[in-house]
């Protein structure tokens, strides 16, 4: 079992403190859902875990199996098994998607696999079919003319192919039609049952149709203000964040 811990993490962007002491943990096999109003800091947390240098850690720590990774470069965090899929993935149209996947799998394997690797491609094609991605996606540039749905599915495809220790996905269900949400939801559950730890942010209770979270965190104003189960998501969906925060009389 592996464990990813965020401890009292404070993060500043352009000198402004955005995360003001975030504490949470994920173990492999868990499906953890992160919710919170717009601007509460979810994406900032994901960027900080990924190691984006624009996100300055001013206090606290990020630990993988008890070891601090907060000073490691992003590629080293990736090599250690942390995959982060961003809310707004960046297009790199000059790089073929198949090439990106191969490069990722080389890092994952810790050696240069034969390129192109038939097993990697076959596995990627199988996952693409499950996610409802057209097979020509591999020959296109990364994000080149991708629809919103293709962007999100491509992020999830990478996670499934990698089978990382931790798959951290920022709003993987945003902008997807119902078939997309179903495919992504099922894929996330499959990834967890194959041993990955999952952290996903979402705005919608509809994912609960496909995802059974082991734990739910709610963020507000740069902090985790609540830990609970799926009933938290259902209640937030019913009454909205402000009423929910009033109900639980959470002071923050
Ligand atoms: P969420 O993902 O929960 O909607 P974000 O992490 O995107 O929240 O944003 C949290 C706060 O940090 C917001 O007030 C946002 O304006 C600010 N913020 C995030 N990223 C940047 C950035 N790159 N530059 C300046 N401010 C940022
Ligand atoms: Mg947002
Ligand atoms: Mg966000």
């Amino acid at each position: 079992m592996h464990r990813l811990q965020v401890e009292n993490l404070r993060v500043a962007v352009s000198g402004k403190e955005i995360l003001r002491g975030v504490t949470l943990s994920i173990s492999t096999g868990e499906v953890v859902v992160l919710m919170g109003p717009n601007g509460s800091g979810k994406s900032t947390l994901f960027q900080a875990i990924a190691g984006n240098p624009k996100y300055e850690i001013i206090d606290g720590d990020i630990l993988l199996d008890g070891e601090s990774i907060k000073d490691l470069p992003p590629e080293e965090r990736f090599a250690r098994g942390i995959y982060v899929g961003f809310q707004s993935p960046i297009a790199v149209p000059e790089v073929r998607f198949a090439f990106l996947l191969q490069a990722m799998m080389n890092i994952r394997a810790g050696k240069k696999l034969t390129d192109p690797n038939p097993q990697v491609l076959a596995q990627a094609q199988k996952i693409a079919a499950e996610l409802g991605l057209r097979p020509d996606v591999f020959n296109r540039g990364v994000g080149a003319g991708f629809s919103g749905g293709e962007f999100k599915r491509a992020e999830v495809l990478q996670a499934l192919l990698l089978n990382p220790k931790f798959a951290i996905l920022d709003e993987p269900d945003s902008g997807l039609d119902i078939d997309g949400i179903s495919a992504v939801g099922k894929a996330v559950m499959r990834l967890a049952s194959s041993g990955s730890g999952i952290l996903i942010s979402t705005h919608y209770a509809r994912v609960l149709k496909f995802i059974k979270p082991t734990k739910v965190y709610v963020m507000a104003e740069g902090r985790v203000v609540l830990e609970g189960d799926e009933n938290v998501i259902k209640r937030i969906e019913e009454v909205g964040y402000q009423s929910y925060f009033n109900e639980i009389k959470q002071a923050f």
Side-chain angles (χ1 to χ4, degrees):
M1 193 185 81
H2 300 283
R3 192 169 156 85
L4 182 67
Q5 289 165 276
V6 175
E7 286 189 352
N8 194 30
L9 193 69
R10 292 172 53 210
V11 170
V13 183
S14 313
K16 184 178 173 231
E17 189 171 335
I18 307 288
L19 299 187
R20 302 185 304 139
V22 170
T23 298
L24 56 80
S25 73
I26 321 159
S27 296
T28 41
E30 271 198 295
V31 179
V32 179
V33 171
L34 181 67
M35 296 194 79
N38 294 133
S40 53
K42 302 179 297 296
S43 294
T44 302
L45 173 65
F46 287 26
Q47 293 281 357
I49 293 173
N52 184 336
K54 285 186 196 142
Y55 293 74
E56 185 203 351
I57 295 180
I58 49 182
D59 198 14
D61 213 341
I62 306 167
L63 307 161
L64 178 61
D65 296 331
E67 189 187 335
S68 176
I69 59 163
K70 82 173 162 68
D71 297 319
L72 296 179
E75 57 275 17
E76 179 59 25
R77 301 183 197 200
F78 175 85
R80 290 189 187 199
I82 299 173
Y83 172 77
V84 182
F86 297 108
Q87 186 173 342
S88 312
I90 295 162
V92 195
E94 57 279 15
V95 175
R96 276 196 324 133
F97 190 46
F99 182 88
L100 171 72
L101 296 177
Q102 184 71 50
M104 286 181 25
M105 293 305 277
N106 288 350
I107 296 171
R108 177 94 170 82
K111 61 178 183 202
K112 200 173 179 322
L113 305 166
T114 51
D115 184 8
N117 187 292
Q119 275 145 338
V120 168
L121 195 59
Q123 179 66 7
Q125 281 166 338
K126 185 168 162 262
I127 296 166
E130 287 164 2
L131 290 173
L133 268 172
R134 294 208 316 263
D136 72 353
V137 71
F138 301 107
N139 290 320
R140 292 162 69 189
V142 176
F146 279 22
S147 68
E150 284 175 328
F151 259 118
K152 288 293 168 188
R153 285 173 167 90
E155 289 286 328
V156 175
L157 183 148
Q158 291 171 63
L160 283 166
L161 186 63
L162 282 161
N163 196 2
K165 286 180 192 145
F166 294 99
I168 295 173
L169 303 170
D170 200 356
E171 298 191 20
D173 56 336
S174 278
L176 291 182
D177 60 27
I178 189 66
D179 293 351
I181 294 165
S182 161
V184 164
K186 287 175 187 162
V188 161
M189 289 311 288
R190 212 162 51 242
L191 194 53
S193 51
S194 72
S196 293
I198 313 284
L199 176 65
I200 63 165
S201 70
T202 184
H203 281 298
Y204 306 107
R206 63 189 184 192
V207 295
L208 291 176
K209 209 169 150 198
F210 310 103
I211 289 180
K212 293 289 158 228
T214 50
K215 190 158 68 183
V216 176
Y217 289 111
V218 182
M219 284 186 72
E221 297 179 22
R223 289 197 180 96
V224 170
V225 293
L226 186 83
E227 182 184 331
D229 60 19
E230 64 184 285
N231 292 315
V232 170
I233 305 177
K234 290 177 185 159
R235 190 65 189 149
I236 289 169
E237 177 88 352
E238 279 166 15
V239 300
Y241 284 107
Q242 283 321 316
S243 304
Y244 184 71
F245 291 147
N246 289 338
E247 271 178 21
I248 61 170
K249 293 191 174 53
Q250 187 78 46
F252 54 85

